[in-house]
Amino acid sequence: VLRLDIELLAAREWGAVVLDEAQVIKNPESQAAQAAYRLRASQRLCLSGTPVENRLEELWSLLHFANPGLLGGRRDFAVRYAEPIANGDAGALARLREKVKPFVLRRLKRDVAPELPPRTDHVLFVALTPEERDTYDAVRAAARREVAERLAQDGNVLAALEALLRLRQAACHPGLLPGREATSSSKVERLLFALEHAASDGHKALVFSQWTSLLDRVEPDLQAAEIPFLRLDGTTRDRGAVVAAFQDPAGPPVLLSSLKAGGTGLNLTAADHVFLLDPWWNPAVEDQAADRAHRIGQERPVMVHRLVARDTVEEGILALQERKRELASSALGTGDAALGLTREDLLALLG
């Protein structure tokens, strides 16, 4: 609505403008951000659980809306803060914290909802079968050659991202790779085993994936095991009905959801188990998904399971996630470093 009606909305002076889920404007060149910058208001507020997801430049975009000029222009911010901090300059980090401190009110979940039951994060490691390992190793060898050649030619990291996509798919389910067929995978079988136990003990579970094609491959196994389930993705017409059916105590014990469709804005406290099928380097997206269950209204402890294939790129991604979590805390809290996804990170993941 903001993008479509910006001419109407920008034509008047507002008493206040509040952006909920303000990370939507993290890219200052996006249409949403450009529209938000045009709004005129006496007071501007940004609300976000993830004000910094990938790069410190995202914080610049939010503050450029809330307090234009505070951090200077984009290039000035990059030179004075983002680049030095990425290179380990503690002084630049301290200056940035001091600059934004008067304008940022940070509240952790334990501060505002101390009554919430605990959340426990757990990694479920999965061993690939010999056939899956052969496939994975072949994809990795081809990817390393391709990326080395591309980076040598133009330094474009997109080649590395494409290669990582194929490696992640190979770690999850060989059938996701072009030209390959597979009825199931070690990871899907491990998921099914965990869901069977959870359902038999009276628990409900959310299953998230970035790929609807992977959810497609989970469905037949759930049907074969006679485990009722619901699904939420970009094609779902009545999201409210799906959520209501899952929240109903008599409803199905499993909800399959794409991260994009179900990762934010939903209350799914009927679940006390969350399964993340395909870890990626941005932990903020995963935390947003897990928080669909761990939020006000939840009465039981929540278990968050990350399924990770052994000896694959996914183990490297877990390590990288820990570094990414330092992004927000370094600028807004007590972290010591702020690192984006660098060329070196990508090459290291390809190993």
Side-chain angles (χ1 to χ4, degrees):
V1 170
L2 176 61
R3 291 194 302 269
L4 294 175
D5 293 343
I6 186 56
E7 298 302 329
L8 177 65
L9 297 173
R12 62 170 295 175
E13 181 84 19
W14 300 91
V17 173
V18 181
L19 300 186
D20 192 17
E21 302 292 356
Q23 69 275 4
V24 170
I25 69 163
K26 65 184 181 182
N27 178 3
E29 296 180 1
S30 67
Q31 291 182 359
Q34 292 295 319
Y37 298 156
R38 291 181 58 189
L39 296 174
R40 297 180 297 144
S42 302
Q43 184 179 27
R44 300 163 178 251
L45 293 174
C46 290
L47 305 179
S48 175
T50 53
V52 180
E53 294 185 345
N54 306 321
R55 299 174 300 277
L56 280 178
E57 286 83 352
E58 297 167 359
L59 180 62
W60 179 89
S61 186
L62 270 64
L63 285 172
H64 182 64
F65 166 80
N67 196 335
L70 175 68
L71 296 178
R74 288 177 64 188
R75 184 55 194 159
D76 182 56
F77 177 79
V79 171
R80 295 180 61 190
Y81 299 111
E83 293 170 3
I85 291 171
N87 292 325
D89 187 335
L93 179 58
R95 291 194 299 273
L96 177 60
R97 285 176 178 164
E98 197 67 24
K99 193 83 167 179
V100 304
K101 185 177 179 180
F103 304 97
V104 176
L105 178 64
R106 190 183 189 200
R107 288 292 181 266
L108 301 178
K109 190 182 294 185
R110 61 175 177 267
D111 299 325
V112 297
E115 73 281 4
L116 273 181
R119 164 183 159 176
T120 303
D121 287 61
H122 174 61
V123 177
L124 291 177
F125 287 105
V126 179
L128 300 183
T129 66
E131 294 79 10
E132 289 172 333
R133 173 60 58 189
D134 289 343
T135 298
Y136 180 86
D137 288 345
V139 172
R140 181 174 60 180
R144 290 178 67 180
R145 288 194 302 270
E146 176 186 343
V147 170
E149 293 171 359
R150 291 283 294 273
L151 290 178
Q153 292 173 4
D154 56 16
N156 191 344
V157 300
L158 290 179
L161 289 173
E162 293 170 3
L164 283 178
L165 171 63
R166 293 195 294 273
L167 281 175
R168 292 172 61 221
Q169 289 175 329
C172 289
H173 198 299
L176 296 175
L177 296 169
R180 294 187 181 268
E181 296 292 335
T183 56
S184 190
S185 72
S186 298
K187 184 175 282 195
V188 171
E189 290 173 1
R190 183 66 182 87
L191 170 68
L192 187 67
F193 178 80
L195 290 176
E196 287 178 324
H197 278 267
S200 65
D201 290 338
H203 299 282
K204 287 197 173 193
L206 306 176
V207 178
F208 285 103
S209 174
Q210 292 185 50
W211 303 309
T212 56
S213 54
L214 183 53
L215 298 179
D216 292 341
R217 287 162 171 79
V218 173
E219 286 193 10
D221 286 43
L222 288 173
Q223 292 166 346
E226 298 183 346
I227 300 176
F229 65 91
L230 294 163
R231 178 158 169 169
L232 183 66
D233 59 33
T235 66
T236 303
R237 291 185 177 275
D238 193 343
R239 290 161 53 93
V242 173
V243 171
F246 182 73
Q247 289 290 96
D248 187 330
V254 175
L255 174 61
L256 305 179
S257 178
S258 66
L259 275 175
K260 186 172 183 179
T264 58
L266 296 179
N267 189 335
L268 299 168
T269 52
D272 58 354
H273 284 261
V274 179
F275 293 88
L276 300 166
L277 283 183
D278 38 275
W280 188 215
W281 58 274
N282 182 357
V285 175
E286 294 184 354
D287 288 337
Q288 288 267 22
D291 282 343
R292 298 314 94 209
H294 192 237
R295 59 197 299 112
I296 293 174
Q298 179 59 264
E299 299 178 352
R300 294 178 293 181
V302 174
M303 289 290 298
V304 179
H305 312 271
R306 288 175 171 81
L307 278 77
V308 174
R310 284 277 192 194
D311 300 317
T312 70
V313 66
E314 292 186 339
E315 288 190 320
I317 287 171
L318 283 187
L320 187 56
Q321 282 184 348
E322 291 305 311
R323 298 172 62 194
K324 297 299 295 182
R325 286 192 173 91
E326 289 293 322
L327 265 172
S329 59
S330 60
L332 306 174
T334 58
D336 295 325
L339 300 171
L341 186 65
T342 65
R343 181 174 180 268
E344 288 70 27
D345 290 332
L346 291 168
L347 291 173
L349 287 175
L350 288 171

